[in-house]
Amino acid sequence: MARNRPGDAVRRKILELQPNPVLRLIDRRRPRSDIRSWADGLTGERLTGRQLNKLRGRGWFTLHAIQWASGADIDHLAIGPAGVFSVNSKRHRGKTIWYGDTAVTVNGSPTRHIAVSQSEARRISRALSARCGVDVPVRPVISVVHAAKLTVKGANPPVLVLAVEHLGRVLTGLSPTLPPDQVARIYSVARDARTWIG
C-alpha cells in the first residue's frame, strides 16, 4: 500500500480501456472521450497526491490509490495529528464550484460529491475501527483541482472542500486530536492490504 502512487488505480483503468498507446494518446485529446475523462481525473489525483506528500515528515502519513476488494479505490488517505482524512480529488478545470452545507454544484449543476465523500469516509472508518479495535473517525475532504472559482459557504461544513493548493495548510492548521503513537498505529493498519478486503 505504501508504495502506491497517486492515481495508480486510474492509470490501470486507462490501460484497461485502451491498451494501445497510440490510440490512448489520440483518445486523450478527443473531447468527451472516456480516456480523456479518466486522464483528467489522473491529473487531479497526481496534483492532490503531490500536495499531501508534502505533509510527510511533519507527523503525517499518506496513502494513495487504496484498492477495495470490490475494485473501487480510495484516492488518498491522510493520517496525522489532526486525525484521519479521506481525500477525494475532483478536477473541474475552468469551472465555478459552489459548496453549501449539503451540496456542491459545478457551473450551477448539482453533484453527488458530498454524499459520496461522506459514504466513503464512513466505510473507511468502519474498516480502520474494526482492525484497530477502537473507533477511528474519518473526515471527508474534497480536493478541488483547476477550478476557475471555488466558493465555500458555511462555518463548519461536514465535508472539507478545499482548493488543492490549500490542502497542506488547512490540514496542518487543524487542532491535534491524535498522539503520535495512535497516528503510527492507524497508519500501520491502513497500509495493510487486509484492512481493505471487506
Side-chain angles (χ1 to χ4, degrees):
M1 284 294 165
R3 292 186 179 167
N4 290 1
R5 296 172 301 162
D8 272 353
V10 177
R11 279 184 196 86
R12 287 191 295 274
K13 181 65 176 178
I14 290 171
L15 288 172
E16 177 187 308
L17 287 171
Q18 183 49 266
N20 183 304
V22 174
L23 294 177
R24 196 166 51 241
L25 184 61
I26 292 168
D27 281 346
R28 281 180 100 140
R29 298 174 194 274
R30 276 191 14 237
R32 293 190 268 300
S33 78
D34 284 345
I35 298 291
R36 183 172 182 157
S37 176
W38 283 99
D40 280 349
L42 176 59
T43 298
E45 287 194 32
R46 290 173 69 187
L47 291 171
T48 297
R50 196 172 299 143
Q51 291 298 316
L52 291 172
N53 286 343
K54 291 178 183 178
L55 299 177
R56 292 178 179 166
R58 295 165 62 186
W60 288 80
F61 297 94
T62 57
L63 293 167
H64 310 284
I66 301 169
Q67 199 81 35
W68 292 101
S70 65
D73 82 306
I74 301 163
D75 291 354
H76 316 276
L77 199 61
I79 304 163
V84 181
F85 299 85
S86 62
V87 183
N88 219 309
S89 299
K90 296 295 179 190
R91 186 173 188 223
H92 293 296
R93 184 174 40 191
K95 297 186 176 165
T96 300
I97 312 301
W98 182 89
Y99 173 44
D101 284 336
T102 59
V104 168
T105 62
V106 177
N107 282 351
S109 297
T111 69
R112 297 200 66 247
H113 293 349
I114 299 302
V116 169
S117 293
Q118 289 176 310
S119 175
E120 180 178 77
R122 285 191 298 270
R123 186 177 181 195
I124 293 166
S125 177
R126 286 192 301 270
L128 291 174
S129 298
R131 289 296 305 272
C132 287
V134 296
D135 185 40
V136 179
V138 176
R139 186 156 185 200
V141 178
I142 296 173
S143 169
V144 178
V145 180
H146 293 155
K149 182 179 181 184
L150 171 61
T151 303
V152 177
K153 298 286 186 186
N156 190 21
V159 177
L160 288 175
V161 177
L162 306 167
V164 66
E165 58 271 16
H166 300 305
L167 268 176
R169 178 182 55 79
V170 171
L171 292 183
T172 58
L174 295 171
S175 298
T177 60
L178 295 175
D181 62 321
Q182 280 188 295
V183 171
R185 169 74 177 131
I186 294 167
Y187 174 65
S188 175
V189 167
R191 67 182 184 168
D192 185 339
R194 294 172 296 181
T195 301
W196 313 107
I197 290 171

